[in-house]
Amino acid sequence: MENPLRSPATSLPTEPRRRSRLLLRVRQVLLGLVVAAGALGAVLLSLPAPRPVTRAPAPAPDAAPGAAAPTAVGAGAPASLPGLAALIAERERHLRAQPRDARAWAMLGAAYVEQGRRTADAANCPKAEDALRTSLRLRPEGNAQAREGLAALGEPPVAEAPGDVTGRRRR
């Protein structure tokens, strides 16, 4: 005789039990995933917001080879050596036509400082100092770029007003 508990007719009541256990297990897994996602979201929301990175604007892709150098030199960022050479040549051409442009003199001096730093060529230092001092002579007040260039050379600043102490002896 056959065992009535193992007959196909009695296996039907055990099938809903398996199904209910499976559904219970699926619900538990889904609930665990929802709780984990909520915890991860809370952690991510508690982190500080990322700070935006400020960079000098990039030149247009079709710009001349030295187009990035003025932005880089003005922002204190390194420029490529060919870009510096192009900037120096362009500023020298400009200053031959407009020798009283204090900003151009300051940019030229800063470019000489950067080129001297990048190439370790001390011949750029006198050129940089002359250009920066010319800029300060033309515009003695509010000329931060020229003052920063002289500071990079290790030179004391020029007095802005009579009576300023510059560290140099007056002759």
Side-chain angles (χ1 to χ4, degrees), residues 9-92:
T10 58
S11 67
L12 289 176
T14 60
E15 187 67 28
R17 283 187 201 160
R18 276 191 202 156
R19 196 174 286 169
S20 67
R21 282 189 215 152
L22 181 64
L23 287 175
L24 181 63
R25 176 76 50 150
V26 168
R27 285 180 187 159
Q28 288 173 341
V29 169
L30 287 176
L31 182 63
L33 288 174
V34 167
V35 169
L40 179 63
V43 167
L44 290 176
L45 286 175
S46 69
L47 294 176
R51 294 182 184 166
V53 177
T54 56
R55 294 184 182 168
D62 58 342
T71 304
V73 169
S80 67
L81 287 175
L84 282 171
L87 172 65
I88 288 170
E90 189 274 326
R91 289 288 95 182
E92 287 175 342

Side-chain angles (χ1 to χ4, degrees), residues 23-167:
L23 287 175
L24 181 63
R25 176 76 50 150
V26 168
R27 285 180 187 159
Q28 288 173 341
V29 169
L30 287 176
L31 182 63
L33 288 174
V34 167
V35 169
L40 179 63
V43 167
L44 290 176
L45 286 175
S46 69
L47 294 176
R51 294 182 184 166
V53 177
T54 56
R55 294 184 182 168
D62 58 342
T71 304
V73 169
S80 67
L81 287 175
L84 282 171
L87 172 65
I88 288 170
E90 189 274 326
R91 289 288 95 182
E92 287 175 342
R93 263 192 316 276
H94 173 78
L95 287 168
R96 279 193 287 277
Q98 297 181 10
R100 301 206 41 87
D101 186 352
R103 287 183 188 219
W105 281 108
M107 179 70 70
L108 178 63
Y112 277 135
V113 168
E114 182 65 22
Q115 188 178 45
R117 186 179 297 145
R118 300 280 305 278
T119 61
D121 185 6
N124 286 315
C125 290
K127 294 177 187 177
E129 183 180 3
D130 289 343
L132 294 166
R133 291 204 183 277
T134 301
S135 177
L136 281 173
R137 191 171 55 251
L138 293 171
R139 196 171 104 204
E141 293 182 24
N143 197 343
Q145 188 176 13
R147 292 186 184 285
E148 289 170 4
L150 285 172
L153 288 172
E155 294 291 323
V158 175
E160 283 192 14
D164 281 351
V165 179
T166 63

